[in-house]
Amino acid sequence: MTDKTLKPLTSPARREFLLDAGKTACGLSLAGLCLGLYSHQTQALPPGAIRPPGALPEADFLGACIRCGLCVRDCPYQILKLATPGEHVATGTPYFVARNLPCEMCEDIPCVKACPSGALDHSLTDINKAQMGLAVLIDHETCLNFLGLRCDVCYRVCPLIDKAITLEQQHNTRTDKHAVFIPTVHSDACTGCGKCEKGCVLETPAIKVLPRPLAKAEAGKHYRLGWEEKKKAGQSLIEEQGIVDLPDRMPDATPDAAPGGLPPAKQGNQL
Amino acid sequence: MSQAPATTGGGNRAIGKWWIMRRLSQLGILGLFLLGPLGGVWVVTGNLNSSLTLKTLPLTDPLYLLQMLAAGHMPYQTAWIGAAIVLVFYLLLGGRVFCGWVCPMNIVTDSAAWLRARLRIKGGVRIPRKLRLWVLGGMLVLTAISGTLAWELVNPVSMLHRGLIFGMGWGWLIILAIFLFDVFGSQRAWCGHLCPVGAFYGLLGKASPVHVSAEKRAACNDCMDCFAVCPEPQVITPPLRGAAKGVGPLINDVDCSKCGRCIDVCGKDVFRFRIALANRAADAADASPNN
């Protein structure tokens, strides 16, 4: 030990140590970088893969899921599977593909109860409040109901019929004498179970369950809906503020037409 | 040391009692997990990351708990209880008992080492044994930075075990790559030099009272069989050769996986399992004054 201090600065042992340390650091950093990039890529869950009910948002889920498969085992319908290397889902994490087998929405949610780590949030106790994804009627051109037929299968198979999917009646402009019934998904009720996607009678479904962040739009934070605000306030918010109603200018307005020739807009109909 | 020629000291029982017990343990544990999916008898569900035995006993790999914490997730109580049970088990038995007696990768890398010896392949890439600790550290740093269990994407240990139970996908390619590297690339590269899981369990085993002891080291005839057969031969030297320096006979290096291969192979019955806390030179069974 004592001759350590006497070693010249360029001793072969020191040189070898530094070289080895450098090589190790380079190798490890490179491997870490590759793995980091790979892990970053898997964070983009493919749209067809749906997480079990109660799953945390994807970024949190990947840090919380222990990849044990207990949820897979406790699913009584064997719907869940663990991703294997080569799939675009992070290796070992559970998912299902709605078109193959949709979630049966067990009332006691055994998959969530089985999760030991909390990647599936145990505070989800009502399966009807699950948000696995959001159904979107994505292809209007091929959907039979849009074409004026009464297929209605997605609506009929929905476990939350008339809440998550409703049929909205519209005039059929093609025949001009019939109605079309537009299947309409309501995001506040849809659990993303995938029954509609599974049930769709087309070769490739017109309605698909997508991850909620992909399917759901978000209005600007400052947006206010006039009619909602009016309901909240119990009265119009602009009527009493002395807002000047400017004259409406029409394209064919002649110089001699009186300004404000049209009546002011009906109270509360503006944004 | 591992390059030492395997001269026989009269014993050379490569397959002995402990080898058989160890394989029974490894295959038995795997079998318990497979009993459900293959036979419909659900004794243990899940996999080595986290499991539930007889619907009551939760077991969780403490390394995964650590990874979750590093990723910024506070696990549920079940995971904590499961990890505590496993932690106590390995603190008592010695961390790398996992490597030698439980881990399914051990069968793969042991087969690779056997084939390497049969094909008489020597040399290869030089990897420092301490590298596994750096891999462990790097893996935890990456987990913290990415906020995901990034290591799990490529971890061959869980990939093999999970794969056998839940489906392998392309995971067998990673297992094959490790097998081939262990055969042609470097002696015992994965388990002995790179695996961060083994490194973690090694750190757990510091205080365990269970040891292989070079009890009758005075009888050693330097045949080198134990060094040739040991996956971590550096752990044998101090206790076996340390009589003169007053080193105790217990192999208490954390890298020892307590596989018992040295016990099986030794023709002079130098080694045995022993439960002891203190490692005193006087504990050697036939410690003689002239040693």
Side-chain angles (χ1 to χ4, degrees):
Chain A
M1 292 309 264
T2 47
D3 63 340
K4 212 173 193 178
T5 49
L6 300 175
K7 268 186 195 166
L9 279 175
T10 51
S11 77
R14 182 190 165 93
R15 186 181 160 74
E16 195 183 353
F17 169 77
L18 286 175
L19 271 176
D20 276 352
K23 270 190 249 172
T24 307
C26 283
L28 272 184
S29 316
L30 199 65
L33 185 69
C34 291
L35 188 54
L37 288 173
Y38 180 34
S39 86
H40 191 70
Q41 226 173 20
T42 58
Q43 283 186 33
L45 192 66
I50 303 171
R51 294 292 186 199
L56 301 176
E58 188 61 12
D60 299 333
F61 183 83
L62 290 178
C65 175
I66 197 167
R67 282 89 160 148
C68 67
L70 284 171
C71 54
V72 174
R73 289 301 180 224
D74 275 19
C75 173
Y77 301 97
Q78 295 172 19
I79 286 156
L80 295 171
K81 65 165 290 197
L82 293 185
T84 56
E87 292 173 39
H88 290 290
V89 183
T91 302
T93 58
Y95 74 98
F96 67 97
V97 176
R99 186 64 169 172
N100 299 341
L101 278 173
C103 175
E104 293 290 337
M105 288 176 58
C106 314
E107 278 182 9
D108 52 346
I109 335 182
C111 53
V112 172
K113 280 186 189 157
C115 180
S117 72
L120 305 180
D121 193 339
H122 287 206
S123 63
L124 178 75
T125 48
D126 179 1
I127 188 64
N128 292 331
K129 298 223 164 69
Q131 296 196 326
M132 294 172 264
L134 181 58
V136 182
L137 209 166
I138 209 159
D139 187 0
H140 295 183
E141 289 171 324
T142 322
C143 171
L144 298 180
N145 270 45
F146 266 85
L147 295 176
L149 287 82
R150 290 302 302 271
C151 163
D152 295 359
V153 169
C154 55
Y155 165 76
R156 294 282 168 207
V157 296
C158 179
L160 296 173
I161 183 169
D162 283 325
K163 291 197 196 85
I165 303 186
T166 55
L167 292 178
E168 304 296 324
Q169 187 179 348
Q170 286 177 16
H171 179 60
N172 186 338
T173 49
R174 180 174 57 82
T175 62
D176 214 18
K177 54 188 167 193
H178 301 101
V180 290
F181 292 86
I182 305 295
T184 307
V185 180
H186 301 275
S187 62
D188 54 343
C190 175
T191 64
C193 71
K195 285 263 178 184
C196 51
E197 183 179 340
K198 171 72 175 166
C200 181
V201 300
L202 301 178
E203 292 290 314
T204 305
I207 190 164
K208 291 186 173 87
V209 176
L210 300 177
R212 286 189 84 92
L214 193 66
K216 192 79 185 95
E218 189 185 346
K221 293 265 187 293
H222 61 289
Y223 280 28
R224 298 288 179 272
L225 301 174
W227 55 94
E228 300 278 347
E229 298 300 318
K230 186 182 164 191
K231 219 184 285 173
K232 255 190 264 172
Q235 60 175 46
S236 170
L237 298 173
I238 53 171
E239 203 64 10
E240 305 301 322
Q241 291 175 11
I243 289 172
V244 180
D245 185 45
L246 291 173
D248 300 308
R249 273 196 204 156
M250 305 305 286
D252 59 343
T254 46
D256 58 321
L262 290 171
K266 284 275 177 290
Q267 161 188 337
N269 269 0
Q270 314 93 322
L271 270 178
Chain B
M1 274 170 286
S2 51
Q3 293 93 338
T7 53
T8 48
N12 202 15
R13 294 160 291 176
I15 294 179
K17 181 175 90 174
W18 294 104
W19 187 92
I20 294 167
M21 300 239 301
R22 214 158 54 80
R23 292 288 177 251
L24 283 179
S25 162
Q26 288 165 335
L27 295 173
I29 290 168
L30 188 60
L32 281 178
F33 279 100
L34 283 172
L35 214 54
L38 295 184
V41 185
W42 296 98
V43 183
V44 191
T45 46
N47 58 38
L48 285 179
N49 293 8
S50 193
S51 65
L52 193 64
T53 305
L54 297 171
K55 293 189 194 294
T56 44
L57 174 71
L59 294 175
T60 299
D61 189 329
L63 180 56
Y64 284 86
L65 195 87
L66 197 62
Q67 286 182 77
M68 276 192 272
L69 292 173
H73 174 74
M74 181 51 77
Y76 280 164
Q77 199 183 1
T78 318
W80 282 101
I81 295 170
I85 296 171
V86 174
L87 198 66
V88 168
F89 180 82
Y90 285 114
L91 283 175
L92 288 177
L93 254 70
R96 293 210 65 199
V97 163
F98 171 80
C99 304
W101 293 75
V102 179
C103 181
M105 269 309 281
N106 180 264
I107 300 178
V108 175
T109 57
D110 272 359
S111 310
W114 174 83
L115 189 63
R116 187 180 163 90
R118 279 301 291 262
L119 299 176
R120 292 164 203 263
I121 299 167
K122 303 268 181 219
V125 186
R126 215 160 41 88
I127 311 167
R129 286 198 183 265
K130 286 264 180 284
L131 185 58
R132 50 187 150 188
L133 288 167
W134 290 99
V135 176
L136 173 65
M139 171 261 257
L140 288 173
V141 169
L142 184 64
T143 307
I145 293 173
S146 67
T148 75
L149 270 57
W151 166 246
E152 259 315 273
L153 293 171
V154 292
N155 180 4
V157 176
S158 65
M159 201 174 277
L160 177 60
H161 191 256
R162 194 193 308 111
L164 289 170
I165 301 167
F166 289 93
M168 192 69 94
W170 290 100
W172 61 270
L173 277 178
I174 293 186
I175 313 298
L176 182 69
I178 287 176
F179 177 82
L180 291 178
F181 190 68
D182 261 23
V183 174
F184 300 105
S186 180
Q187 171 103 353
R188 296 216 174 257
W190 178 253
C191 296
H193 301 78
L194 292 169
C195 178
V197 184
F200 171 78
Y201 277 99
L203 294 176
L204 288 188
K206 201 88 186 164
S208 153
V210 180
H211 302 282
V212 173
S213 169
E215 208 94 326
K216 292 194 224 157
R217 57 189 176 189
C220 173
N221 63 355
D222 290 329
C223 74
M224 304 299 283
D225 275 356
C226 57
F227 288 105
V229 83
C230 179
E232 307 269 353
Q234 78 278 11
V235 309
I236 300 180
T237 316
L240 185 65
R241 305 264 168 85
K245 292 182 203 147
V247 180
L250 299 185
I251 298 179
N252 56 7
D253 193 301
V254 293
D255 287 342
C256 173
S257 64
K258 288 151 201 184
C259 63
R261 259 173 284 216
C262 52
I263 307 176
D264 279 341
V265 82
C266 181
K268 300 290 179 192
D269 291 327
V270 168
F271 302 97
R272 56 163 286 204
F273 272 110
R274 191 180 160 87
I275 294 172
L277 281 171
N279 188 15
R280 289 183 298 261
D283 287 341
D286 47 2
S288 49
N290 60 348
N291 262 354

